[in-house]
Each structure stands twice: as structure tokens, then as C-alpha cells.
Amino acid sequence: MESLGFQGEHTGSVLCVDVSEEVIVSGGENGDLCLWNLEGKLLNKYREEGTDCTSVLLSLVKKDVVYAAFNDVLKVFNRGDMSTPTDTFTYNSDEINQIAVDEKEKYLAASDDAGEIRVIDLTEKKLFKTLKNKHTNICSSVCFRPLKPWELFTGGLDSKVIHWDFSRHKCLNMFDMNELNNPFETPDSYMVSPPFVHHLAASPNGKYLVAALENGLIAVFDSTRKHLRELFSLHTHTQGVSQVHFLSDDKFVSGGNDCCIALWDLSKSQDHPDLVLPANAHAANGTSNGISSAPDPLETKNQTMTDVCLVTKIEHTGKINWMKPFHQEQWKIIIADESNKLSIKAIDV
């Protein structure tokens, strides 16, 4: 199912999209910000000349509020009249890659090309904290930790996933994706592409964190404890994974530069408790000359988890810039790609 609407308004590639029960908002090149109904009819439009709209967000608490990032500026709109922003925040020092809000929508976090995250107090309309000096490259993604009001996760093109207590500007944990053992043997993209972190998603119940990586892998973490713990990696994309979004506590979708969307069910991983391995399982398996004497248990684990958790795959017509699942009688995904229009695909869950 492809939607026939959502055309004729974006003048360049659509870069980002968000959806609520009533409307869809999309941002793109040339500063286009468009508000649509679910059938693809344009409701409102704003353009910021000389820039791109790189991240958008529909408020779930304040029904009529739209958040949008234009280069290093965050603007807030009332969706009934988008001719002029109601608020403008200029705290970021470089281009904003993603904006996210906490569950009560008191705080908004904006990650940027400087590797910094500005946390804005939306009630007081002022900067609350600046998180910096940990990412050494572009900070591409940010998400708040469910059920933990002072914590958030960030990922970047330094291949780091960082767990923060943003109230204290404290790094609680840091993972370098280069150090994770992902020893798939097939000659695929991860062999030559670095594990840049493009996007993060946390399950609604806080059980899982998943990271979309440039090397085609999806790193899955256990987020039930105080500190993150790596569980396994999933591999079905043949190029970089650009997007991950949860539909429920266990199911999520991933999209990538291979023009493919995959649906995963992490609950199926619990059918294989025998594959929960000690952290040094990969290193312990080799012989003294560095040649493995037996099938690598971590490779076996990752391949098995991929096989059991992968539900279905959907082919798309272009590379996925951004996407967002939503439920309207059935599960659907609104997709922004390199074209100047949005599309909707149904997905069987």
C-alpha cells in the first residue's frame, strides 16, 4: 500500500517526519515544514529560507504544538497557524540532527553536529543543561530513557552510545561500537563500514535500547538494570541502518540505505536463554595462533537471534531518511526518503 497524497509541497528531499493520531508533520531541504492530515492533504506549511528542516516532533502533551529544527535553531509552532513560530531557541552551536522530549514534555533535547546535546526546559523556556566533552564527532541521535526522568541516551558518528544523567551532566555509561564483537563471516557492509550510530530507540517499557549502525547491524541492549548491557546484534540490512522505532514493548522496525524495512520481535529472543553468553565468550573461543578452533559462540548467537527475531521485510523504492510507525486500523509506516514526497506502507504485525 502506497499513499497517493503527500506530494507537490516539498521542494527537495524529505529529511524527517513524525505522526500523531490526527496529523503528520514533515521537514525537508530548503527549509520546508509541512503539516498533513493522515490522508495526505496539506493543512499548513512554513518555509525557512536558506536552511534545511532536519528534525520534527509533534507534541503528545500539548495537542497543537509542533517542534522543528532548522540548522542550529529550534522553533516551536502552533499547528493551527504556522506562519510565525511561537518560540525560538538558539542554544545549539551547530546543525541539529534530532530533537526529542521526555515523557512529561518538560524537557527537550537537541543533538547536534558539534557532538553536544542541549537540554531545554520547555516550562521555563530556557537552557537547562549542555551535555558535551564525551562525543568526539557528530551526535546524530538522542532519546530519553523511559521511566527514568533524568536519564537519556545519545549516539554519534564517533561510534559511541552514551548513557547520561542529564540533571548532573554525568556520563553513566559509554559503549564503543567498534569494541562490540559482531563476527559475522559473510562479506557484507560491516566489513568496510564503521559502526557509526545513526539512530537510537528505547522500548516504551524501558526494557530494550536498540542502535542503528552504519555497518548494517542493529545493536540490542538490555535496559532493565541501572546500566546498559549488550545482548546481541541483528543483521539483515546490507547497507547502513538509518532508523529504528518501537511499535510495542517487544516489536520494532528498522530502515536503511538498502531501501529495506524490517520488522523485529525481540520477545522471540527469550526462547533461547542458552545463548546468553559471558562477555568474554568470543575472546575465549580462539586458539593461541588466533585461529578459531570451533564455531564462534557469539557469531552463532547473533545469527540465531537474527533468524528468530526477524518477522518480515518490506522493500521500499529509496533510501530511508526517516520513518515513523503509527496505528490506524492497522500498523502503517510513514516514510521520508530521498524524493520530495512521503509514502505510507502497511505492515503486518
Side-chain angles (χ1 to χ4, degrees):
M1 168 193 160
E2 291 269 7
S3 172
L4 297 178
F6 307 106
Q7 300 185 42
E9 298 297 338
H10 277 282
T11 56
S13 295
V14 187
L15 302 176
C16 51
V17 65
D18 195 21
V19 60
S20 70
E21 294 179 353
E22 299 175 335
V23 296
I24 291 168
V25 64
S26 57
E29 294 177 336
N30 308 317
D32 292 330
L33 175 66
C34 299
L35 187 73
W36 318 80
N37 67 16
L38 298 182
E39 286 69 49
K41 178 184 177 182
L42 185 72
L43 302 176
N44 226 322
K45 185 175 180 179
Y46 174 85
R47 174 178 285 185
E48 183 81 8
E49 297 288 348
T51 186
D52 295 331
C53 181
T54 53
S55 186
V56 291
L57 201 60
L58 288 164
S59 173
L60 298 178
V61 175
K62 307 161 190 172
K63 182 178 177 181
D64 293 327
V65 170
V66 179
Y67 303 100
F70 298 90
N71 194 19
D72 57 354
V73 178
L74 172 69
K75 299 197 173 190
V76 185
F77 297 87
N78 184 300
R79 71 188 200 200
D81 178 10
M82 291 172 53
S83 59
T84 305
T86 57
D87 287 295
T88 299
F89 299 102
T90 56
Y91 298 122
N92 289 79
S93 61
D94 212 332
E95 181 174 303
I96 296 170
N97 294 302
Q98 186 179 5
I99 54 176
V101 291
D102 69 329
E103 291 169 301
K104 294 184 178 180
E105 216 163 298
K106 176 173 172 56
Y107 298 104
L108 181 146
S111 61
D112 65 28
D113 278 4
E116 300 178 353
I117 306 94
R118 309 285 175 155
V119 181
I120 299 168
D121 186 325
L122 294 173
T123 304
E124 300 292 331
K125 298 185 178 182
K126 65 180 182 181
L127 183 66
F128 179 73
K129 281 287 190 295
T130 297
L131 308 179
K132 59 182 181 178
N133 300 327
K134 291 298 180 182
H135 282 292
T136 57
N137 203 324
I138 290 168
C139 183
S140 51
S141 185
V142 59
C143 71
F144 285 86
R145 187 180 190 183
L147 310 178
K148 300 287 186 180
W150 294 113
E151 297 179 27
L152 55 76
F153 304 114
T154 59
L157 302 196
D158 54 1
S159 303
K160 300 285 200 312
V161 171
I162 301 178
H163 176 196
W164 302 84
D165 178 339
F166 69 88
S167 69
R168 296 184 291 161
H169 189 280
K170 183 177 181 181
C171 172
L172 300 177
N173 208 355
M174 184 188 304
F175 286 85
D176 186 343
M177 298 295 102
N178 288 295
E179 297 174 359
L180 297 185
N181 290 312
N182 296 308
F184 288 93
E185 290 183 350
T186 52
D188 234 324
S189 60
Y190 62 88
M191 299 290 286
V192 294
S193 300
F196 297 155
V197 182
H198 288 307
H199 199 229
L200 298 172
S203 62
N205 63 355
K207 184 175 182 178
Y208 297 109
L209 177 75
V210 293
L213 306 182
E214 172 63 24
N215 62 4
L217 300 178
I218 302 164
V220 181
F221 296 88
D222 176 1
S223 183
T224 59
R225 307 177 185 183
K226 181 178 180 180
H227 294 295
L228 288 176
R229 180 173 65 102
E230 183 204 0
L231 291 176
F232 47 83
S233 295
L234 302 170
H235 179 227
T236 194
H237 292 281
T238 57
Q239 295 185 45
V241 187
S242 55
Q243 287 279 287
V244 280
H245 294 275
F246 276 89
L247 286 69
S248 64
D249 288 337
D250 296 302
K251 293 185 174 71
F252 76 93
V253 287
S254 60
N257 293 335
D258 57 355
C259 310
C260 181
I261 297 169
L263 172 65
W264 306 89
D265 185 353
L266 294 178
S267 68
K268 295 181 179 180
S269 67
Q270 298 166 15
D271 298 336
H272 296 269
D274 55 308
L275 291 178
V276 177
L277 303 173
N280 63 349
H282 176 55
N285 190 56
T287 61
S288 58
N289 61 5
I291 301 174
S292 176
S293 58
D296 191 303
L298 188 57
E299 180 182 349
T300 301
K301 174 185 179 180
N302 287 341
Q303 189 60 61
T304 299
M305 290 306 183
T306 295
D307 293 341
V308 300
C309 293
L310 181 61
V311 177
T312 188
K313 292 176 73 173
I314 300 173
E315 294 299 323
H316 186 57
T317 54
K319 295 181 179 180
I320 311 295
N321 283 337
W322 210 287
M323 65 183 194
K324 190 70 181 288
F326 66 103
H327 195 270
Q328 185 192 34
E329 298 180 353
Q330 66 179 127
W331 278 103
K332 302 176 183 178
I333 303 175
I334 182 81
I335 304 164
D337 55 32
E338 294 180 312
S339 73
N340 64 348
K341 63 181 180 179
L342 296 166
S343 57
I344 291 179
K345 289 184 180 291
I347 186 165
D348 294 324
V349 176

